[in-house]
Amino acid sequence: MKIKLLFPVAFACATLFGVSLRAQDGSASALNTLTDAEKSAGWQLLWDGKTAEGWRSVKSEAFPKSGWTMHDGLLTVHENGGEESAGGGDIITRKRYANFELTADFKITPGANSGIKIFVQPNLSPIDKKTGKPTGKGSAIGMEFQILDDAKHPDAKLGRDGDRTIGSLYDVIPAPKDKKVLPIGEWNHARILSQGQHVTFWLNGEKTVEFERGSAEFRAAVAKSKFKHITDPGFGEWADGHILLQDHGDEVSFRNVKIRELPVK
């Protein structure tokens, strides 16, 4: 009897394991789709998995002609020497958002740097990472969910108290040191919730950052950051803005980029 039970058990385990693997690596049928429950809850695909619809370059109304590719359900920014916005450049949504919940899967390569920014203001000049002054080159201004290989990218050791590590509000508020980060080459999951002035970041289901835009604590943190010279309004206090995926010169892929707009809190 024991021998007869081995095959069904092994088959069941193999089947479950196979399903788990397919779910983890993202089979084509599951990628960039919405369940009935998600549709009922108001979710939409922010990227449709195939085209540049709804997205454009920060610097023009067109999507970048190079530097980004859409293939097999993945939106990928390609390596270009690690320079900030020197390849295809950042891409932003055509629409502006204020109250929303955003989720996305991302996969980085060794030593990579990127980010998901919210409340992006294309009219503001980028900030030089060394001087903290406005410059003509660099990434567009917004509040950034940092995406980084903390072990290999030097940015992890810069900034203040780890506020440039993965899951942080870049250069403003650090993520916990014990955050849950999956290995290079695996898919991590980002979630951003913005309602009223309250914003929270999650990485792989665990909260990494929580803040109130415009509060005394938030303004004090900004005053110690590279964004301290942004005024009228101050950094992060805009009424709304675009959502951005960053080109930092390293290969990073995105999938299952979804959003649902929320009522004003």
Side-chain angles (χ1 to χ4, degrees), residues 179-208:
K179 61 209 163 190
K180 181 181 179 181
V181 184
L182 299 183
I184 301 299
E186 293 190 18
W187 288 97
N188 286 273
H189 183 73
R191 177 180 173 228
I192 300 173
L193 179 64
S194 170
Q195 195 163 26
Q197 300 298 99
H198 197 72
V199 178
T200 48
F201 290 175
W202 281 266
L203 175 63
N204 296 319
E206 297 181 356
K207 188 185 296 183
T208 59

Side-chain angles (χ1 to χ4, degrees), residues 119 143 197 213-215 218-219 222 233-240:
F119 287 86
M143 295 187 292
Q197 300 298 99
R213 299 187 300 126
S215 67
F218 180 77
R219 289 178 175 176
V222 171
F235 175 81
E237 298 185 40
W238 312 288
D240 58 21

Side-chain angles (χ1 to χ4, degrees), residues 11 28 41 55 60 63-64 116 128 130 167 169 190 196 209 219-220 240 252-253 265:
F11 179 77
W55 293 85
S60 76
F63 193 85
I116 301 171
D128 187 276
K130 294 182 179 179
L169 171 58
V209 167
R219 289 178 175 176
D240 58 21
V252 178
S253 295
K265 189 174 182 180

Side-chain angles (χ1 to χ4, degrees), residues 67-68 76-83 87-88 109-110 247-252:
W68 292 83
T76 301
V77 58
H78 292 279
E79 192 276 335
N80 190 47
E83 291 298 320
T109 51
D247 169 16
H248 208 293
D250 300 310
E251 183 173 318
V252 178

Side-chain angles (χ1 to χ4, degrees), residues 13-196:
C13 290
T15 301
L16 289 172
F17 184 64
V19 170
S20 176
L21 281 180
R22 287 195 297 273
Q24 187 177 37
D25 67 16
S27 61
S29 61
L31 286 182
N32 309 305
T33 59
L34 296 171
T35 64
D36 290 339
E38 286 175 323
K39 292 176 183 178
S40 297
W43 286 94
Q44 298 178 322
L45 290 176
L46 195 56
W47 177 57
D48 64 14
K50 299 177 181 178
T51 73
E53 183 177 357
W55 293 85
R56 67 175 180 89
S57 168
V58 170
K59 300 176 181 179
S60 76
E61 288 297 316
F63 193 85
K65 294 181 179 179
S66 63
W68 292 83
T69 58
M70 291 163 273
H71 184 66
D72 289 340
L74 306 183
L75 175 60
T76 301
V77 58
H78 292 279
E79 192 276 335
N80 190 47
E83 291 298 320
E84 189 175 313
S85 295
D90 299 338
I91 58 173
I92 58 173
T93 55
R94 293 188 178 276
K95 185 175 179 179
R96 299 173 72 97
Y97 296 90
N99 298 281
F100 60 88
E101 184 175 4
L102 170 70
T103 61
D105 299 331
F106 63 90
K107 181 171 65 174
I108 64 175
T109 51
N113 186 347
S114 185
I116 301 171
K117 297 188 183 184
I118 60 175
F119 287 86
V120 172
Q121 309 296 311
N123 60 305
L124 296 180
S125 297
I127 300 297
D128 187 276
K129 60 184 178 182
K130 294 182 179 179
T131 67
K133 299 295 179 65
T135 180
K137 297 180 180 180
S139 188
I141 297 298
M143 295 187 292
E144 179 179 352
F145 180 111
Q146 172 76 313
I147 294 175
L148 195 78
D149 179 353
D150 288 350
K152 294 186 176 181
H153 197 286
D155 233 19
K157 296 179 176 61
L158 301 177
R160 181 174 50 87
D161 300 328
D163 63 6
R164 295 189 181 185
T165 61
I166 189 170
S168 299
L169 171 58
Y170 171 77
D171 209 56
V172 181
I173 302 174
K177 293 181 180 179
D178 62 350
K179 61 209 163 190
K180 181 181 179 181
V181 184
L182 299 183
I184 301 299
E186 293 190 18
W187 288 97
N188 286 273
H189 183 73
R191 177 180 173 228
I192 300 173
L193 179 64
S194 170
Q195 195 163 26

Side-chain angles (χ1 to χ4, degrees), residues 127 131-132 221-231 235:
I127 300 297
T131 67
V222 171
K224 298 176 183 178
S225 77
K226 62 187 280 187
F227 307 112
K228 60 187 176 183
H229 297 300
I230 296 176
T231 58
F235 175 81

